Amino acid sequence: MKSIINLGIWNNKKYHFDWENKILMEETSTPSNWYYVWVPITLFLIDKISALITQIGLLENMWIRVFLVVFLSLPAYFSAKLIIRYYHSSLKLKRSELEGAQKEAFIKGLKRRKVFLQLMLSFFIITTPISVALFIIEKEVKAVIFCFLCLLVIFMFRFDYQLRKWLTIMQLLVGEKKVRERNIS
């Protein structure tokens, strides 16, 4: 699978970066989001399973609750991977035509967007252990669903936005701009 990094929306167009070919791309049509149906189905199943486990009385043991939290990371990981895989496979992309001042404004927008996305991701990273603690210490069953959602968001950010690569992408885009300026001179 090609490594496509979502860069978000700028000037009403969705941009992605083809990591393998080092090319800025834009969407030509919005993909279908039918695969997001998986999330409420999974949440429903987690809710029913946790209610059953509570009814049986298994949640009285703290180690079972710890095991359940660890086990919960698996469906979150695979759900995020499945959703992003289907999303990437349904993308229709073309090479971006951003040039000059537009590209500079796009790069500045990327810097602001990265800060915003990092803050959002930090919120979910901070709330995950809080929900885990609520479940393990207080036996709060609804915290399991919130924990699943937090983990899902964290994994989706990891697979789709890949924020760790954004600095390199911005450097590549600036470098590409400088090379074009030298060629024009």
Side-chain angles (χ1 to χ4, degrees), residues 111-124:
K111 291 175 185 176
R112 285 189 301 272
R113 192 173 308 117
K114 183 177 187 234
V115 170
F116 174 72
L117 291 173
Q118 285 283 22
L119 286 173
M120 270 181 46
L121 183 60
S122 296
F123 169 76
F124 285 104

Side-chain angles (χ1 to χ4, degrees), residues 11-177:
N11 280 353
N12 297 323
K13 293 182 181 177
K14 294 180 183 175
Y15 289 91
H16 301 271
F17 191 79
D18 182 346
W19 186 252
E20 291 175 359
N21 298 316
K22 309 292 189 245
I23 300 170
L24 182 64
M25 309 289 283
E26 66 183 62
E27 280 186 25
T28 57
S29 67
T30 304
S32 160
N33 292 326
W34 66 267
Y35 32 84
Y36 280 98
V37 171
W38 176 251
V39 175
I41 292 170
T42 307
L43 289 174
F44 177 78
L45 290 173
I46 289 171
D47 186 45
K48 292 302 176 193
I49 291 170
S50 61
L52 180 67
I53 290 173
T54 303
Q55 207 172 32
I56 294 171
L58 288 176
L59 292 183
E60 297 305 317
N61 186 336
M62 186 178 83
W63 291 110
I64 290 176
R65 291 193 305 271
V66 170
F67 170 77
L68 288 173
V69 168
V70 172
F71 180 74
L72 188 64
S73 64
L74 291 174
Y77 176 84
F78 288 114
S79 294
K81 195 167 186 111
L82 177 79
I83 290 168
I84 298 305
R85 180 178 293 145
Y86 278 115
Y87 174 70
H88 285 177
S89 68
S90 64
L91 282 173
K92 292 178 178 65
L93 302 170
K94 70 174 187 171
R95 188 179 193 120
S96 173
E97 298 167 0
L98 288 179
E99 295 293 329
Q102 279 186 323
K103 191 173 253 185
E104 287 178 29
F106 176 73
I107 293 169
K108 286 180 185 176
L110 274 182
K111 291 175 185 176
R112 285 189 301 272
R113 192 173 308 117
K114 183 177 187 234
V115 170
F116 174 72
L117 291 173
Q118 285 283 22
L119 286 173
M120 270 181 46
L121 183 60
S122 296
F123 169 76
F124 285 104
I125 289 172
I126 290 169
T127 56
T128 301
I130 293 170
S131 64
V132 168
L134 278 173
F135 179 64
I136 292 176
I137 297 168
E138 300 292 325
K139 297 184 236 176
E140 182 61 44
V141 177
K142 295 299 179 190
V144 170
I145 292 174
F146 189 71
C147 180
F148 173 80
L149 287 174
C150 289
L151 290 170
L152 182 69
V153 168
I154 291 168
F155 289 132
M156 286 178 72
F157 265 85
R158 180 174 175 234
F159 298 138
D160 194 24
Y161 287 99
Q162 301 178 34
L163 293 174
R164 291 185 177 154
K165 294 181 180 178
W166 277 39
L167 182 60
T168 306
I169 290 170
M170 288 184 265
Q171 291 170 345
L172 289 168
L173 293 174
V174 169
E176 181 181 296
K177 181 182 156 264

